[in-house]
Amino acid sequence: MKRAALGALLSHWWRHRLQLITLLTGLALATGLWSAVQAINGEAKASYDLATSKMGARQNETLVPKAGFIPLSRYVELRRSGWRLSPVLEGHWPQNTGSLRLIGVDLLSHPTFSNIAKNSTSGSSYSLDALNSQGQLFLNPKTLKQLTVQVDLPPIVQSDQIPIDVVLGDISLVERLLQRPGQITRLIILPEQPLGLHPLEDLAPELQLQSYDAGQISRLTDSFHLNLTAFGLLSFAVGLFIVHGSVGLGIEQRRGLFRTLRAMGVPLHLLTVLLLSELLLIAIVAGSAGLVLGYLIAAALLPDVSATLSGLYGATVEGSLNLRPGWLISGIAMAVVGTLIASTQAITNIYKMPLLAAPGLQARAQAASNQQYGIAVLGLGLIASGTASMLVFDGLIAGFALLAGVMLGTALMLPLLLSWVLTLGLRNARSALGEWIWADMRAQLPGISLALMALLLALATNIGVGTMVSSFRLTFLGWMDQRLSAELYVTAKDEEQAQKFVLWLVGRDVTVLPIRWSEVPFHETKLRIYGVLDDPTYREKWPMLQAQDGAWDRVSNGTAVIINEQLARRRNLWPGDDLNLTSSWKMTVVGVYSDYGNPHEQAIVTLPVLLLHADNVPNLRFGLRLPPSSVQNLIKEVQQEADFEGITLVDQNDLKARSLAVFDRTFVVTGALNLLTLGVAGFAILTSLLTLWNMRLPQLAPIWALGITRRQLAWLELWRSLALAALTAILALPLGLLLAWVLLSIINVEAFGWKLPMYLFPLDWLRLLLLALVAAAIAAAIPARKLALIKPSDLLKVFAHER
Amino acid sequence: MVDWEMTDNTLLQIRNVSKCYAGLGESRAVLRDVSLDLQAGESIALTGESGSGKSTLLHLVGALDYYDSGEIEIDGTSLTNLNDSARSELRRNTVSLVFQQFNLVPSLNVAQNISLHARLANRVDLTWITSLTSRLGLTELGDRYPEQLSGGQQQRVAIGRALAVRPKLLLADEPTGNLDEIASSAVMDLMLKLVRESGAALFLVTHSVQVANQLDRRVHLSAGKIA
Amino acid sequence: MNAKFFLTALFLCLPVTASTQGFAGLGTNAKGFAIPQRGAVLSFPEDHGSHPNFRIEWWYLTANLKGDDGLDYGVQWTLFRSALRPGSEDGWSSPQLWMGHAGLTTPTHQFFAERLARGGIGQAGVTAEPFMAWIDNWEMTGVRPALQHLDLKASGADFAYDLDMSTQGQQLVLHGDNGYSVKSAGGQASYYYSQPHYQITGTLILPNGPVAVTGQGWLDREWSSQPLAEDQSGWDWFSLSFDSGDKLMGFVLRGASADFTSGSWISADGTITALQPGDFQALALKHSDVSRRSIPTEWKITLPTQELSVVIQAVNEQSWMGTSFPYWEGPVTISGSHTGRGYLEMTGYE
Ligand SMILES: Nc1ncnc2c1ncn2[C@@H]1O[C@H](COP(=O)(O)OP(=O)(O)O)[C@@H](O)[C@H]1O
Ligand SMILES: [Mg+2]
């Protein structure tokens, strides 16, 4: 019985293969996008974990100085008092392009160094060679090419246990390379401690405890991943609309079959079980396809994601994708759960379906209209609770809750809104045909409204995210012009070379702007303080968001500081407030400048003040102001000097182009997901129209009989679909702008620490509207073509089979 | 229940069955105190005006609906207090139905439709099905789908499907109601002949006096009562 | 000769192929390092301090204690020095590495801890005058005159001790030829002297609370650059204090072809007799399962020249030091021709 019944059930899909394919594709697309995002997030998280565990600081707490560095003598004192600690000296090691993290550890006490060494390329011959007078440097093979500084390097040992961009060595070697003898950045507190210790607060009040693991990387990147996840969920939701539509239709179309089977003695519970198995099968097939798709998408996007993460947050994600069992399971589970959610309504209907008495068509229309109101009320509720969440929560969560509530709520209200518009059209229709068109569109609405909701969501997301990215880009471009005002940026190999270079420039009509900074511990993170020399360049061009009168005068006389927006927002410091740069260094904030693309907090003081308060302020980098026409000449001259070998020169345009490339890459992922979501929505429309096709013939046949040609009918069909898509797109515009506003003013501030002005891009909207119309047209074209070519006899059948 | 009414051959017993549909406000009696017997292999025609309750009675016998009082017994099994799976089993194995609206499965072809009930009941008799198909003139149409058939052909498929399982009782509710006159009498003749051959009892709802006369007995329903 | 393993730290680095190079790399050659010379005269207090031109060195204290609870206890405190290169240097670049081991044996439990430190920064070291040996907060502090009176401290995650140790002015015991102690038939040797006459009072901190103890202690000092021959894989070392007042230090270096034995007899009146190779005999009587190894925990010791024939039994058969280079070290009781207490160390049991 089971086989025969299942065969009868499945025969429907065999007869409606296209419908099955759309169902499978929709579900696969939804699962694909979701699992792509999951794969990317999973990979990134795994990378962070690995990086953390590689550094051996996973569980260990560390001691960091409240200011400056920890002197070696303090370390020895703490050891002598019994505390088991391991010292770490960490610094930026300038290379020709960028810098590497150079980390020095005490090989004897570091909790995991021996693991690193064990897995190195030199195999078992790792040894205390690293403690020889010459020493050894350990790094990941992928970091090797970035090691460009031409100093006498000790032997290199490669180990993939070491995070990318990190160079590890014994502290004796590293303090030499960083020229920071006797300094320690932090002390790892080893897991096992002896009895009878005195509290660290008493022994070393100038140090503070820090849990390294909960460090900034994860906090910063969390917001990025939350963004991605939200995107993934959105595309999944869009996908579920498709599934809901196709499954619902598949069940609706088979009501008669279910009755017949029941009349032939198939018990209700068996029928339900069979239907569920059918759905499960579909979910698993589509889910598996979705996983493959997701893997491919993730693999394609991962390089950009890692670029984003390292560009924005300095977090390193290795570029290769691994298959994780958890990911496979969650992908399939998502498909199954999504299918079940999307089909609960249909299944319960079947379960409650009376064996006899099909309810009249009229009643069903009535029910649909009631449902429309119910759904709209639900939507209104969602919007309200989303808005309310702004009052209850704050920050990122509130932003996302608002977004979710408003977007889903509006989508749910769409059918009612559209039906109002159509009713309005109906009232104003002049001709009989016009009347029929409006009425027919309204009748068609329940069948296609899910697809339109999906389209609304996709369009709004596109408008919102597009507006955000474009606004950001515009702001960023302007900001770069201000910020990168020097014509040429120079990095010297070492301080000696730097000095020679500055001397060499004397008399060449070049203004030298030193770029010097120091990092000081600051609220469990680091604050980079730049020291600048007073120059019109800064006064005229620096991208200030807020500044008091005479801000630069006060900075240059050493009494005030200007800070970046990230610092201002995170610590709520604005012009007029006092800022404690270190425990013994307090200054008044006189200005806030924008600093996009940088996750960290930053401050600017005048150079002499910086040198007074901080040591280790390398003097290697400069901005040069000179007439743009002489830039190329100067570069040539420098390259010819033997003394200046190893010096790096980057001209402003280059730097801008590079920065912009990084920026654009950052949003490749967003853009790609955006486009894919729109694709899914377009697909949803296609699905709905195709499946509606068969049900629509009985409605079209009488009109045909009244003397409208098939061609005309086909065109009408196309226009109708276009009109619905256009209406939806128009409704999507305000929703998208709201989304953009939330992204720019709430999400961005939380995730990146900066607020952006919102610009409007009507041309983009037009493009999007066209895209939506094209999608709708393509979707409607297939059924319309079918209609144009249908045999009259098929239309006649409608009359022959009066039911 | 009275003993003498029971005979060895009684297939269907309807005793004092009443049925109301809950209307708006008051409830309306559709069947009132209906009693009827049917012997194995016997055929009964049920006539009556539209709305007199014929279909309702047929649905009760087919265990598709529930009566309010009285009792129906099929093949020794009382339908009172029978749960869904027992009712399903009864429909699968003992009773077949032919409806006015054919109710074929649109996604199965003619051959598959004919054998569907037999396969559900796990009682496929290929020789019987083949001969049935050929007697119904459907041999050539086996690959076609219902939408490609005329009404008469579709109803022949429905009849084949109902008889293929060799039911003890065939319930037919105006099976030719949707067909024109010529097709109607041809299909009816064929059905009666095949029912007789298969040895099934027949409970047929019909408007046609002519058809009713061909059956063993005739019962008239009027406003929910047997006249 | 608690010459152990030294340097775990060293070994961190050396390819550990113990079969050919001896326990913990002690058999590797001594290129660039100073070599012990027969006839050299030890000079105190300078030689109580460290000798950075020699590759390895240790300050090794073992003590047999009795608690006010009536139980036998053993305490070990060791500071090893190992040099990557000869010489000393200030700061992280110092080639000197230090390793501390602390052990506390009860009849039922063995506690131990290990500390590693870099030389040159003050985290560990030894000064001769005033005498002080330390690593982290473990300390062996002398009160003038050097080594006459010592204060000893160590603590681990689950134990600690603080002992007060003093002699009645007894002389140091120079082993071998005035402190030149031969370690193999091939001539490998070390400088080796002891102070075996400490009387101790102090406190042990155990999980169940503090225990007051009294007893006697034995300090060994040894330095060299290549104490083992290449085929020697480990040793069994005994320091025994008899109730008669006599003391015996004897060891067996287990070689691939032949064992090498040596030692010193310290009679109650202070006379020291260096034992000739072969005089000292040790025979394992019983093995115990310790840390998945079979280790002899009962020995028969004979020294015919002193008409000595005794059985040595571990106070706790599980006196296992599960440190970077693991070994067995714990208190023993003596019965037979002589009675008393002592310490046993066994290394190189794989
Ligand atoms: N599901 C139902 N709910 C309410 N009334 C019904 C239902 N089915 C049938 N009826 C009513 O019961 C009466 C008998 O119907 P039916 O048995 O179909 O008559 P017949 O088949 O003789 O034409 C009619 O008045 C009909 O309106
Ligand atoms: Mg009827």
Side-chain angles (χ1 to χ4, degrees):
Chain A
M1 167 170 62
K2 277 181 207 151
R3 273 188 57 192
L6 189 62
L9 281 180
L10 292 181
S11 69
H12 169 83
W13 295 117
W14 181 245
R15 286 290 284 167
H16 299 86
R17 269 161 284 183
L18 193 63
Q19 200 184 330
L20 176 65
I21 289 170
T22 53
L23 171 58
L24 288 176
T25 315
L27 192 53
L29 279 174
T31 317
L33 286 185
W34 165 255
S35 41
V37 167
Q38 288 311 105
I40 290 172
N41 282 349
E43 197 58 44
K45 294 228 166 80
S47 276
Y48 308 147
D49 284 353
L50 193 63
T52 321
S53 69
K54 276 172 179 173
M55 297 322 294
R58 188 199 249 316
Q59 266 107 32
N60 295 324
E61 290 184 312
T62 54
L63 283 174
V64 296
K66 289 183 180 140
F69 59 90
I70 307 172
L72 177 60
S73 55
R74 173 53 96 195
Y75 165 64
V76 173
E77 277 164 34
L78 289 173
R79 291 284 322 203
R80 293 284 284 116
S81 73
W83 279 94
R84 303 193 58 221
L85 308 166
S86 184
V88 177
L89 171 63
E90 176 173 346
H92 290 272
W93 192 18
Q95 302 293 317
N96 289 347
T97 52
S99 66
L100 293 169
R101 271 171 80 196
L102 180 57
I103 301 181
V105 301
D106 170 17
L107 300 193
L108 286 192
S109 60
H110 193 263
T112 55
F113 175 78
S114 48
N115 289 340
I116 296 169
K118 228 176 278 168
N119 290 300
S120 65
T121 44
S122 57
S124 64
S125 78
Y126 85 84
S127 50
L128 285 200
D129 285 354
L131 286 179
N132 281 341
S133 45
Q134 200 185 12
Q136 276 177 339
L137 285 177
F138 295 79
L139 45 76
N140 192 299
K142 293 177 188 151
T143 312
L144 200 55
K145 58 179 181 303
Q146 296 175 51
L147 190 64
T148 46
V149 151
Q150 302 295 318
V151 291
D152 284 339
L153 286 179
I156 304 281
V157 179
Q158 299 179 30
S159 163
D160 53 15
Q161 292 294 299
I162 296 176
I164 290 172
D165 292 344
V166 166
V167 179
L168 195 63
D170 185 63
I171 188 164
S172 61
L173 172 61
V174 169
E175 65 175 12
R176 251 181 291 147
L177 290 173
L178 292 177
Q179 295 169 19
R180 292 168 62 183
Q183 298 188 11
I184 289 166
T185 314
R186 60 178 175 271
L187 297 170
I188 302 172
I189 302 178
L190 298 175
E192 200 190 281
Q193 297 293 341
L195 297 175
L197 294 175
H198 289 288
L200 283 167
E201 306 88 274
D202 299 345
L203 295 172
E206 83 284 9
L207 302 185
Q208 63 188 16
L209 205 61
Q210 182 179 77
S211 288
Y212 189 78
D213 183 59
Q216 324 153 275
I217 286 192
S218 69
R219 236 180 310 132
L220 283 168
T221 50
D222 268 356
S223 49
F224 179 80
H225 293 298
L226 190 59
N227 260 321
L228 277 187
T229 306
F231 239 115
L233 267 176
L234 183 73
S235 14
F236 193 76
V238 169
L240 283 196
F241 277 105
I242 305 182
V243 176
H244 183 99
S246 335
V247 168
L249 195 72
I251 286 176
E252 189 61 35
Q253 288 168 328
R254 284 183 290 175
R255 274 176 171 266
L257 168 63
F258 299 148
R259 285 222 169 77
T260 309
L261 286 175
R262 295 277 286 122
M264 285 191 278
V266 175
L268 183 57
H269 68 90
L270 178 68
L271 191 64
T272 318
V273 167
L274 289 178
L275 259 180
L276 282 174
S277 328
E278 173 194 286
L279 290 173
L280 202 66
L281 188 71
I282 288 175
I284 290 174
V285 170
S288 311
L291 282 179
V292 175
L293 195 68
Y295 186 86
L296 295 177
I297 296 176
L301 293 182
L302 195 60
D304 292 312
V305 172
S306 23
T308 304
L309 286 169
S310 72
L312 276 180
Y313 304 109
T316 317
V317 174
E318 294 178 23
S320 64
L321 198 59
N322 294 309
L323 274 183
R324 291 166 215 290
W327 176 76
L328 291 174
I329 292 166
S330 86
I332 297 278
M334 220 38 204
V336 169
V337 171
T339 312
L340 290 183
I341 290 176
S343 46
T344 13
Q345 199 196 351
I347 299 249
T348 22
N349 277 349
I350 291 303
Y351 203 81
K352 290 201 205 129
M353 177 185 77
L355 239 170
L356 296 164
L361 278 175
Q362 198 53 50
R364 217 180 298 172
Q366 188 58 45
S369 142
N370 283 340
Q371 231 173 10
Q372 231 169 46
Y373 275 98
I375 288 177
V377 168
L378 184 67
L380 214 57
L382 278 176
I383 295 178
S385 52
T387 316
S389 74
M390 288 290 287
L391 305 174
V392 183
F393 307 106
D394 43 28
L396 217 50
I397 308 250
F400 277 114
L402 174 66
L403 277 189
V406 170
M407 302 234 352
L408 258 168
T410 315
L412 291 180
M413 290 181 67
L414 180 72
L416 189 64
L417 292 177
L418 284 179
S419 115
W420 282 347
V421 172
L422 296 176
T423 308
L424 212 66
L426 179 59
R427 279 211 200 114
N428 295 322
R430 302 270 157 74
S431 68
L433 184 63
E435 226 168 67
W436 174 75
I437 291 172
W438 287 108
D440 185 61
M441 258 161 100
R442 206 175 56 177
Q444 216 183 331
L445 206 52
I448 197 176
S449 61
L450 278 172
L452 293 177
M453 289 184 208
L455 181 67
L456 176 79
L457 284 181
L459 286 175
T461 312
N462 259 279
I463 294 172
V465 175
T467 304
M468 189 263 285
V469 174
S470 305
S471 296
F472 193 0
R473 200 169 190 276
L474 212 62
T475 315
F476 185 72
L477 282 172
W479 171 80
M480 264 201 314
D481 281 341
Q482 297 178 307
R483 184 72 180 259
L484 301 178
S485 46
E487 277 70 25
L488 202 54
Y489 289 86
V490 181
T491 307
K493 194 172 65 177
D494 50 38
E495 300 225 357
E496 192 192 327
Q497 190 184 50
Q499 273 165 19
K500 269 191 205 154
F501 183 66
V502 173
L503 281 177
W504 180 82
L505 285 174
V506 172
R508 274 176 209 261
D509 189 21
V510 172
T511 312
V512 179
L513 305 173
I515 302 175
R516 301 183 64 175
W517 46 266
S518 174
E519 271 176 357
V520 300
F522 185 74
H523 294 271
E524 285 144 43
T525 141
K526 275 179 263 176
L527 175 64
R528 183 176 286 196
I529 307 173
Y530 279 88
V532 300
L533 290 178
D534 196 11
D535 189 272
T537 308
Y538 296 116
R539 289 173 178 264
E540 285 158 19
K541 294 211 154 182
W542 201 252
M544 289 291 199
L545 293 172
Q546 287 187 25
Q548 290 182 343
D549 286 340
W552 281 107
D553 292 334
R554 295 190 54 195
V555 169
S556 56
N557 71 25
T559 59
V561 59
I562 57 173
I563 61 178
N564 71 352
E565 184 183 4
Q566 287 81 323
L567 175 54
R569 288 191 189 281
R570 247 173 253 164
R571 313 290 170 200
N572 197 21
L573 292 170
W574 300 97
D577 295 340
D578 281 340
L579 165 64
N580 286 309
L581 290 153
T582 68
S583 48
S584 57
W585 181 10
K586 188 158 141 187
M587 284 186 126
T588 307
V589 176
V590 290
V592 175
Y593 57 93
S594 54
D595 186 16
Y596 305 118
N598 162 31
H600 301 294
E601 297 163 311
Q602 201 180 81
I604 293 180
V605 297
T606 186
L607 184 56
V609 172
L610 177 68
L611 294 176
L612 195 71
H613 284 91
D615 25 33
N616 185 36
V617 186
N619 187 21
L620 296 172
R621 309 184 62 187
F622 311 94
L624 304 184
R625 298 300 317 264
L626 65 167
S629 54
S630 23
V631 169
Q632 290 310 320
N633 274 337
L634 186 76
I635 293 180
K636 255 185 222 129
E637 275 186 79
V638 172
Q639 280 165 349
Q640 280 157 8
E641 285 291 327
D643 272 355
F644 297 153
E645 200 197 316
I647 214 162
T648 324
L649 299 165
V650 182
D651 87 31
Q652 188 198 62
N653 297 330
D654 239 33
L655 201 56
K656 279 184 187 165
R658 251 195 268 169
S659 305
L660 198 59
V662 168
F663 178 92
D664 285 341
R665 241 190 135 180
T666 300
F667 291 101
V668 165
V669 183
T670 320
L673 284 177
N674 225 344
L675 210 66
L676 285 171
T677 311
L678 190 63
V680 172
F683 193 77
I685 303 179
L686 173 67
T687 314
S688 310
L689 291 180
L690 278 180
T691 44
L692 276 179
W693 160 251
N694 284 325
M695 303 170 96
R696 286 192 44 69
L697 266 193
Q699 287 150 27
L700 294 177
I703 307 299
W704 169 73
L706 294 176
I708 311 290
T709 67
R710 283 167 293 149
R711 265 178 95 61
Q712 273 173 311
L713 279 178
W715 276 113
L716 284 176
E717 201 66 10
L718 199 63
W719 283 120
R720 204 177 356 236
S721 155
L722 285 178
L724 285 174
L727 274 177
T728 308
I730 289 168
L731 286 173
L733 182 62
L735 186 59
L737 292 181
L738 179 69
L739 172 64
W741 179 79
V742 174
L743 285 173
L744 288 169
S745 311
I746 299 177
I747 309 267
N748 252 309
V749 175
E750 288 303 320
F752 306 102
W754 57 71
K755 192 172 178 169
L756 294 166
M758 180 159 143
Y759 296 96
L760 301 183
F761 301 88
L763 274 181
D764 282 357
W765 307 340
L766 211 60
R767 202 168 40 101
L768 208 59
L769 175 67
L770 283 179
L771 208 61
L773 291 182
V774 168
I778 294 175
I782 300 175
R785 210 181 108 83
K786 259 183 161 180
L787 186 60
L789 301 176
I790 195 169
K791 287 192 238 106
S793 61
D794 285 334
L795 280 167
L796 275 175
K797 250 196 216 154
V798 172
F799 303 111
H801 290 185
E802 278 297 273
R803 278 162 206 224
Chain B
M1 190 190 292
V2 190
D3 251 354
W4 58 265
E5 283 184 273
M6 290 287 282
T7 68
D8 276 345
N9 264 347
T10 306
L11 178 68
L12 167 69
Q13 270 194 357
I14 305 173
R15 207 171 325 286
N16 311 110
V17 163
S18 296
K19 166 83 180 170
C20 291
Y21 280 117
L24 288 171
E26 91 242 58
S27 70
R28 208 150 48 88
V30 180
L31 292 176
R32 282 178 250 179
D33 225 11
V34 174
S35 296
L36 194 70
D37 279 1
L38 189 62
Q39 305 300 309
E42 194 186 8
S43 58
I44 287 192
L46 184 62
T47 57
E49 286 169 28
S50 182
S52 58
K54 306 180 296 292
S55 296
T56 305
L57 182 59
L58 212 68
H59 292 154
L60 292 180
V61 172
L64 295 170
D65 208 349
Y66 298 81
Y67 43 83
D68 299 332
S69 63
E71 182 168 41
I72 296 179
E73 227 177 272
I74 298 173
D75 209 12
T77 310
S78 167
L79 298 188
T80 318
N81 300 328
L82 222 53
N83 67 11
D84 181 68
S85 70
R87 285 166 162 265
S88 296
E89 194 183 325
L90 185 79
R91 289 198 297 271
R92 211 155 59 229
N93 296 322
T94 314
V95 185
S96 278
L97 296 124
V98 176
F99 298 97
Q100 188 175 348
Q101 299 94 338
F102 323 144
N103 288 342
L104 297 181
V105 179
S107 51
L108 296 179
N109 66 20
V110 168
Q112 288 164 333
N113 260 297
I114 291 178
S115 63
L116 179 61
H117 194 162
R119 281 185 288 135
L120 285 173
N122 211 4
R123 283 215 308 266
V124 182
D125 177 347
L126 271 183
T127 336
W128 166 240
I129 291 177
T130 316
S131 103
L132 204 55
T133 310
S134 109
R135 301 288 302 280
L136 286 162
L138 296 170
T139 311
E140 303 289 299
L141 303 177
D143 292 340
R144 295 233 193 140
Y145 283 87
E147 60 183 33
Q148 299 164 315
L149 301 179
S150 72
Q153 289 167 329
Q154 289 197 42
Q155 192 59 302
R156 277 187 274 151
V157 175
I159 291 165
R161 185 177 70 186
L163 290 176
V165 71
R166 286 187 179 275
K168 288 192 175 152
L169 175 60
L170 179 69
L171 304 174
D173 192 350
E174 302 186 44
T176 57
N178 265 346
L179 305 179
D180 60 64
E181 248 171 82
I182 303 168
S184 165
S185 63
V187 168
M188 187 59 84
D189 287 349
L190 195 56
M191 182 176 91
L192 294 180
K193 221 193 271 171
L194 287 171
V195 168
R196 237 169 260 137
E197 270 175 39
S198 76
L202 174 66
F203 195 165
L204 172 74
V205 174
T206 180
H207 283 305
S208 157
V209 182
Q210 197 194 336
V211 171
N213 283 337
Q214 297 181 43
L215 303 197
D216 296 344
R217 272 202 285 153
R218 179 174 159 188
V219 178
H220 189 77
L221 204 58
S222 175
K225 289 190 99 149
I226 292 191
Chain C
M1 117 174 220
N2 313 308
K4 323 223 121 178
F5 20 61
F6 220 38
L7 305 192
T8 302
L10 223 209
F11 317 153
L12 281 177
C13 5
L14 297 170
V16 183
T17 45
S19 55
T20 59
Q21 302 206 282
F23 180 68
L26 285 180
T28 49
N29 71 33
K31 220 167 168 192
F33 290 101
I35 300 288
Q37 304 294 329
R38 189 181 289 272
V41 177
L42 299 186
S43 116
F44 301 106
E46 295 78 23
D47 278 330
H48 295 322
S50 72
H51 302 83
N53 290 330
F54 287 80
R55 210 177 69 177
I56 51 172
E57 180 161 23
W58 52 84
W59 293 255
Y60 213 119
L61 188 114
T62 52
N64 289 96
L65 303 171
K66 195 95 180 169
D68 56 2
D69 55 5
L71 297 176
D72 281 329
Y73 293 98
V75 158
Q76 174 202 348
W77 190 103
T78 314
L79 181 62
F80 301 103
R81 180 187 61 77
S82 171
L84 298 163
R85 306 178 293 279
S88 50
E89 223 174 291
D90 270 353
W92 288 110
S93 318
S94 163
Q96 304 292 332
L97 304 179
W98 298 85
M99 175 169 75
H101 282 178
L104 198 172
T105 310
T106 77
T108 54
H109 205 92
Q110 171 80 4
F111 300 91
F112 66 88
E114 180 176 58
R115 296 286 183 272
L116 298 175
R118 304 277 287 269
I121 60 169
Q123 185 188 348
V126 179
T127 54
E129 193 62 24
F131 178 77
M132 165 121 118
W134 76 94
I135 182 165
D136 290 355
N137 60 336
W138 300 2
E139 294 170 353
M140 184 192 281
T141 321
V143 177
R144 251 180 277 214
L147 300 198
Q148 292 270 329
H149 189 106
L150 293 176
D151 191 22
L152 187 73
K153 279 195 197 104
S155 57
D158 47 2
F159 75 100
Y161 54 74
D162 188 344
L163 304 179
D164 207 40
M165 320 197 298
S166 43
T167 64
Q168 271 85 54
Q170 291 97 328
Q171 288 300 303
L172 296 172
V173 174
L174 307 183
H175 298 291
D177 181 358
N178 277 317
Y180 179 83
S181 165
V182 175
K183 289 295 181 316
S184 79
Q188 274 83 8
S190 64
Y191 292 118
Y192 186 8
Y193 69 88
S194 305
Q195 174 50 279
H197 299 294
Y198 288 107
Q199 295 300 316
I200 298 179
T201 61
T203 311
L204 311 181
I205 308 290
L206 292 169
N208 288 335
V211 179
V213 289
T214 56
Q216 54 201 43
W218 181 310
L219 174 70
D220 266 2
R221 283 278 293 114
E222 190 160 9
W223 65 99
S224 176
S225 291
Q226 191 204 23
L228 292 193
E230 283 206 354
D231 72 333
Q232 290 174 334
S233 59
W235 60 85
D236 308 306
W237 173 90
F238 302 80
S239 65
L240 307 176
S241 297
F242 303 110
D243 295 336
S244 59
D246 300 322
K247 294 179 192 295
L248 169 64
M249 185 282 290
F251 57 83
V252 181
L253 284 161
R254 301 190 303 276
S257 47
D259 291 350
F260 181 85
T261 76
S262 183
S264 301
W265 177 261
I266 307 147
S267 61
D269 61 13
T271 338
I272 299 156
T273 316
L275 306 183
Q276 294 309 306
D279 286 358
F280 177 83
Q281 298 287 336
L283 176 70
L285 295 181
K286 177 190 157 194
H287 286 76
S288 304
D289 261 4
V290 180
S291 183
R292 293 179 306 280
R293 297 159 170 87
S294 171
I295 293 200
T297 49
E298 194 174 314
W299 292 82
K300 181 162 182 80
I301 304 288
T302 51
L303 184 60
T305 54
Q306 299 291 337
E307 291 169 357
L308 177 120
S309 171
V310 292
V311 170
I312 302 292
Q313 281 174 304
V315 170
N316 178 350
E317 293 173 355
Q318 304 293 325
S319 301
W320 186 249
M321 296 289 286
T323 41
S324 313
F325 288 84
Y327 56 101
W328 195 104
E329 173 119 23
V332 294
T333 57
I334 308 165
S335 56
S337 65
H338 293 61
T339 56
R341 292 189 285 175
Y343 240 81
L344 167 59
E345 171 181 292
M346 298 178 282
T347 67
Y349 286 90
E350 289 308 318

